[in-house]
Amino acid sequence: MFEFEERKLPNATAVLVLGIFSILTCCCYGVPGILLGIIALILYKKDKDLYLSNPSVYTNYSNLNTGFILSIIGIVLSFIFILMIVWAISMVGWDALQDPELMRERMEQLEQMQ
């Protein structure tokens, strides 16, 4: 009969690395984490379709799944960080984020309100 040579999925390592970097860059204003996570998800879909077409040929599907999970986590963390930035700007204002003295005044006002 036919014997298939086991191969690695072509983008599994890239998906894993992009997933890790999407988590690491989520605190860089959130945008790089989202972009890297989305790229990883696109590559994941391509490799998953390739794997599902012939699962007995490919060996590193677990790396692909791990990269997928890390990408989702990176996207969620990046989105939360963006929401935190929007919240901070709405609470103290953009001008206070650029002026430390004004920031201190606004923080004191917020403390007095509580």
Side-chain angles (χ1 to χ4, degrees):
M1 292 304 260
F2 295 104
E3 272 190 48
F4 291 105
E5 177 184 329
E6 289 188 348
R7 297 180 286 183
K8 293 186 175 205
L9 290 165
N11 297 319
T13 304
V15 171
L16 184 62
V17 170
L18 287 170
I20 292 169
F21 280 128
S22 72
I23 292 174
L24 293 177
T25 60
C26 71
C27 294
C28 299
Y29 299 106
V31 176
I34 290 176
L35 292 177
L36 292 174
I38 290 173
I39 292 169
L41 292 179
I42 292 169
L43 293 176
Y44 167 80
K45 178 157 177 22
K46 289 180 182 179
D47 270 14
K48 183 180 177 189
D49 292 342
L50 186 63
Y51 177 79
L52 292 177
S53 68
N54 196 354
S56 62
V57 176
Y58 299 103
T59 60
N60 58 344
Y61 188 68
S62 62
N63 283 352
L64 189 67
N65 279 334
T66 304
F68 172 73
I69 292 168
L70 293 175
S71 300
I72 296 295
I73 293 170
I75 290 171
V76 169
L77 290 176
S78 297
F79 186 70
I80 289 171
F81 192 79
I82 289 173
L83 290 177
M84 287 174 43
I85 291 172
V86 169
W87 175 81
I89 291 172
S90 69
M91 291 301 290
V92 296
W94 182 254
D95 53 341
L97 292 176
Q98 298 173 352
D99 183 10
E101 182 65 31
L102 184 57
M103 173 66 93
R104 188 167 5 122
E105 290 175 15
R106 298 257 172 99
M107 294 303 287
E108 289 172 1
Q109 289 172 357
L110 287 173
E111 286 177 4
Q112 290 174 0
M113 292 174 64
Q114 293 178 357

